[in-house]
Amino acid sequence: MLISSDQIEQLHRRFKQLSGDQPTIRKENFNNVPDLDLNPIRSKIIRAFFDNRNLRKGPSGVADEINFEDFLTIMSYFRPIDITMDEEQVQLCRKEKLRFLFHMYDSDSDGRITLEEYRNVVEELLSGNPHIEKESARSIADGAMMEAASVCVGQMEPDQVYEGITFDDFLKIWQGIDIETKMHVRFLNVEAMALCH
Amino acid sequence: MEGTELAGKILSTWLTLVLGLILLPSAFGVSLGISEIYMKILVKTLEWATIRIEKGVPKESVKNSASVGIIQRDESPMEKGLSGLRGRDFELSDVFYFSKKGLEAIVEDEVTQRFSSEELVSWNLLTRTNINFQYISLRLTMVWVLGVIVRYCVLLPLRVTLAFIGISLLVMGTTLVGQLPDSSLKSWLSELVHLTCCRICVRSLSGTIHYHNKQYRPQKGGICVANHTSPIDVFILTTDGCYAMVGQVQGGLMGIIQRAIVKACPHVWFERSEMKDRHLVTKRLKEHIADRKKLPILIFPEGTCINNTSVMMFKKGSFEIGGTIHPVAIKYNPQFGDAFWNSSKYNMVSYLLRVMTSWAIVCDVWYLPPMTREEGEDAAQFANRVKSAIAVQGGLTELPWDGGLKRGKVKDAFREEQQKNYSKMIVGNGSLNSESN
């Protein structure tokens, strides 16, 4: 329905390539992907594969290794929105994708993205550039948190502390904005091709 | 002793046939048309096999070429990919983008797939390329068995004999020619020996080569650069013209060949210690091309064998020497035999055995117009320009990655540059963001 048996087979081959023909993948196996090395948030992406919340194995914690079924579970967060889906399914799909992202920010699994966690993400995004000081990264994070607070809580009392972005707040921030096209990986159509010349 | 007499008779008939039908015509660069007939039969057989496979297999299981990729990658540059969702918290949207990119890389990375052989769209009746094709029909299996017999019992001995003769002639011939004093006669003879022996070696692989644009063939005093797929590349190019090779002195059979051919004409061999000193290498190569009488140098700037679906980073060292660069694009047709040498999987002997038990080696060679370094262009940019020209001509994809990734990790400098690019974009926007707050 979502991906064909052929694509699953190709993914399985890729899985075996990454795992070195073992039945499970560990974090170290992702070090062999040169393209991933350039990604500033690679450690978060890799962690997302082992996150128990994404694997639907528990409310927190990190698994040591994942098998092919887990691999497919993570892949399913990036499936494209099918035009045949009805409104309810589309909303569900969208929620799942946003939840995946929320888990990436909320590293201590307490259900809130605190200022520290937010700063951590921004610092990682900006890592590798020696010219940007920590101060700039912090101020960007602080500004963003303030904006999030104003969207979610509205006017705050002077001594009210904004504890962090909950998942519902997160959904509120992204309301009305189309994220579907940005967060999917589309499989190529497998067509019959005969070449012999 | 009837047994040995019979064996002797068979051997001598065999050798006479080989001599008459293959060796002599090669010496004169003439073709008797036997290989063309073989190729025609082969093509017809493979077409028939493809049609039978398609008929026998249900529609859904027919595969697409895996080298094209299993996912549609977002090739848009970073700026475009990131710009869509800006306005609100930029980091959130950028995290989207990078997560997607990260997942794309995990599912399919462009680099590692270039270090293994290209997968075929339809099976070419060789067991080694059979990934997924099940039993279709009795006739197909019989043809396959016939193919195995033909390849291993008829073609393999023939090819091994030819290769043996070719290499021995090369070593003996060049040693003999090397005894002569330097003169135009010596150069002419050495060219003849090189050409003949390379033609014999190419016949030993059942090589069918199409040369295009022969008017741009590399001239003396120039440097010829080509994309690298296997050691066979050298033979393929030398069949149409003589080159001076560049390389490291090696031991064993290669060493013997190296020492022999350098007697006949000046190739450039470096000791291992000399290779480390880049200035020395550049100096010697400069001296070589300054001498207009010497043959053009042949260099493979990728530095390692790639699987012929793409061209990887050209090392700029070859482009710092100066002189005219003659680019050459080589593209093998994988349907008849896989020429790529996966040196981590096979050693030289098993690789040669695989090549000699394939159907044939079919390739196209395009000579490109000569290029020189322009004003204000540095060696790396020039290298990229030449690389693009070769990739476009050969129908290969271009990758900025280093072939050295086969064995090593991404260089830190490269990684930092990418991250700097990204951070530049952020700080530009970030400062605007905090101002508006």
Side-chain angles (χ1 to χ4, degrees), chain A residues 6 9-11 13-14 17-18 30-42 45 49 71 74-75 78 98 101 104-105 118 121-122 125-130 132 140 143-144 147-148 151 170 173-174 177-179 181-197, chain B residues 43 46-47 50 54 59-64 68-73 80-81 84-85 88-96 98-112 119 121-122 132 333 335-336 401 405 409-410 414-416 418-420 422-424 426-427 430 433 437:
Chain A
D6 236 337
E9 209 184 292
Q10 283 173 324
L11 277 175
R13 261 188 283 142
R14 176 62 176 166
Q17 198 181 42
L18 286 172
F30 286 113
N31 292 341
N32 300 331
V33 185
D35 267 352
L36 194 60
D37 240 13
L38 296 184
N39 198 311
I41 53 169
R42 63 187 166 281
I45 293 174
F49 270 78
F71 187 71
I74 304 292
M75 288 289 309
F78 284 81
L98 285 169
L101 240 63
M104 216 186 267
Y105 275 84
Y118 208 96
V121 174
V122 176
L125 280 177
L126 297 175
S127 61
N129 188 335
I132 294 191
I140 292 171
E147 197 182 316
V151 167
F170 199 71
I173 293 173
W174 287 106
I177 300 178
D178 174 30
I179 53 129
T181 51
K182 291 287 169 177
M183 197 172 149
H184 68 256
V185 172
R186 195 175 286 281
F187 277 94
L188 287 174
N189 264 329
V190 179
E191 275 169 10
M193 272 171 67
L195 288 178
C196 194
H197 35 119
Chain B
V43 168
L46 290 179
E47 270 176 15
T50 314
E54 272 184 7
K59 219 44 175 33
E60 309 91 60
S61 346
V62 179
K63 295 170 79 65
N64 193 354
V68 172
I70 54 175
I71 53 173
Q72 192 169 351
R73 296 188 74 122
K80 192 152 159 281
L85 295 169
R88 282 300 175 93
D89 311 287
F90 74 90
E91 323 76 18
L92 287 180
S93 61
D94 292 352
V95 169
F96 272 127
F98 282 117
S99 314
K100 177 164 111 153
K101 279 271 162 222
L103 204 89
E104 280 177 356
I106 288 173
V107 170
E108 172 186 81
D109 84 280
E110 295 234 304
V111 179
T112 322
E119 278 180 28
V121 172
S122 65
N132 193 30
N333 186 341
Q335 196 70 17
F336 297 99
W401 296 96
L405 284 174
K409 298 203 55 115
V410 179
F414 193 59
R415 191 195 316 165
E416 274 158 18
Q418 292 280 327
Q419 291 181 327
K420 265 189 213 152
Y422 171 65
S423 341
K424 265 189 220 142
I426 301 304
V427 178
N433 225 0
N437 278 348

Side-chain angles (χ1 to χ4, degrees), chain B residues 377-393:
Chain B
E377 206 182 25
D378 71 2
Q381 290 164 331
F382 182 37
N384 278 332
R385 197 158 59 92
V386 174
K387 186 181 80 160
S388 306
I390 292 183
V392 164
Q393 179 66 83

